[in-house]
Amino acid sequence: MALVDHDSWDIEYEGCERLRHQLLVYLNQRQQLNQKTSQFVQLTSSIQTGIEQLSKDVKHLKVVLDNAITWETSTEEELQQRRIDWDRLTSQLREIREKFANSSRSNVPAASVSAWQDQDLGPGHSNSSRNTALDVEALKQKKTEMLAQQNEGLEVLSATLSRQRQLATQLGNEVEDQNNILDNLANAMDRVETGVQRETQSIGQVNRRDSTWGYWLVIIALFVAIIVVIFV
């Protein structure tokens, strides 16, 4: 039974997929560039930032999955599919890291790259840097929105659980009151049964006494008849 209308898995998983796809595009573009160009340096920075962000997103996605398992907010089939998706995403992140590390082994030292940047940078690089900054800011903004949605979902879940506890407490009090009423009713029925038994015994005694008077009347009548017969 779901306690909230939705969780943030779909939103966060979609964000991870978009970021993963973007990193693959950056890696492919970077492999085709000379390592001394400004665009190569720019892509390297973007990839490093993206990998760090994707790693954080994947870890947070695991938290969302664990919460769904704990609170049973999804069906077993959905949870199984999410485990598969998370394992695949983790494997893909590892492959991206390895691919980036392998492609970076032949890079020149950072100082040489910086020196080349100082000679090679131009107006085009400034625009590219701004675009990269915008991409990073967009990723941060998306992450902030997803976290806000996650917090909102947790607040709804907390309110729902609080309401459930209140209802459980009220239900427990109501059951206790009903039990007290039933106990009182049982005691009253016991008293009534005892009274009925006592009255039944009294009625039996009265009936037995009434039947004895009849016998005495018959005896007296016979005695009178005998007397009359004798003296007449």
Side-chain angles (χ1 to χ4, degrees):
M1 178 179 64
L3 299 178
V4 293
D5 294 336
H6 65 278
D7 55 36
S8 61
W9 170 272
D10 292 336
I11 297 175
E12 299 212 29
Y13 182 77
E14 182 181 353
C16 289
E17 280 294 316
R18 284 199 300 268
L19 181 54
R20 182 187 67 83
H21 178 73
Q22 186 63 49
L23 286 172
L24 291 176
V25 172
Y26 285 165
L27 285 170
N28 291 333
Q29 292 177 351
R30 182 173 176 268
Q31 287 179 345
Q32 300 173 5
L33 296 174
N34 188 309
Q35 62 185 11
K36 294 183 179 180
T37 61
S38 59
Q39 189 176 2
F40 181 91
V41 176
Q42 170 198 334
L43 285 175
T44 300
S45 176
S46 298
I47 293 171
Q48 290 174 337
T49 302
I51 290 177
E52 292 177 359
Q53 185 64 43
L54 182 58
S55 178
K56 294 178 181 178
D57 291 346
V58 170
K59 290 180 180 178
H60 190 266
L61 201 61
K62 184 62 165 61
V63 174
V64 175
L65 176 59
D66 291 340
N67 288 338
I69 295 174
T70 301
W71 299 108
E72 298 181 355
T73 56
S74 301
T75 63
E76 183 61 32
E77 291 77 9
E78 291 175 340
L79 292 176
Q80 183 63 27
Q81 183 59 47
R82 291 182 181 184
R83 293 188 189 98
I84 295 174
D85 292 339
W86 187 84
D87 290 339
R88 182 172 60 249
L89 190 59
T90 302
S91 177
Q92 291 169 341
L93 173 60
R94 184 167 55 251
E95 292 175 358
I96 289 175
R97 282 175 170 166
E98 292 175 355
K99 186 175 182 180
F100 177 67
N102 293 334
S103 63
S104 299
R105 289 172 182 171
S106 59
N107 287 353
V108 296
S112 300
V113 174
S114 299
W116 180 265
Q117 275 187 275
D118 294 339
Q119 298 176 4
D120 190 62
L121 295 182
H125 174 73
S126 177
N127 293 333
S128 299
S129 298
R130 276 198 299 270
N131 291 335
T132 301
L134 291 175
D135 290 341
V136 174
E137 288 299 324
L139 291 174
K140 291 181 179 179
Q141 181 65 26
K142 185 63 177 178
K143 179 64 175 179
T144 301
E145 293 176 358
M146 289 190 294
L147 289 176
Q149 292 175 352
Q150 175 70 8
N151 291 335
E152 182 179 355
L154 291 176
E155 290 175 359
V156 172
L157 179 60
S158 176
T160 302
L161 291 176
S162 177
R163 179 59 179 168
Q164 294 280 347
R165 283 194 296 269
Q166 293 177 359
L167 292 176
T169 301
Q170 293 175 0
L171 181 61
N173 294 335
E174 184 67 20
V175 170
E176 185 175 356
D177 293 339
Q178 293 295 330
N179 288 335
N180 292 333
I181 293 174
L182 292 175
D183 291 339
N184 294 333
L185 180 60
N187 294 333
M189 292 182 66
D190 290 339
R191 290 194 297 269
V192 170
E193 184 178 0
T194 301
V196 170
Q197 291 176 354
R198 184 170 59 251
E199 294 299 328
T200 300
Q201 292 175 356
S202 298
I203 292 173
Q205 292 175 359
V206 171
N207 290 336
R208 286 194 296 272
R209 290 174 183 174
D210 290 342
S211 61
T212 303
W213 278 106
Y215 294 141
W216 280 109
L217 288 175
V218 172
I219 293 171
I220 292 173
L222 292 174
F223 180 75
V224 171
I226 294 170
I227 296 297
V228 170
V229 171
I230 291 174
F231 288 98
V232 172

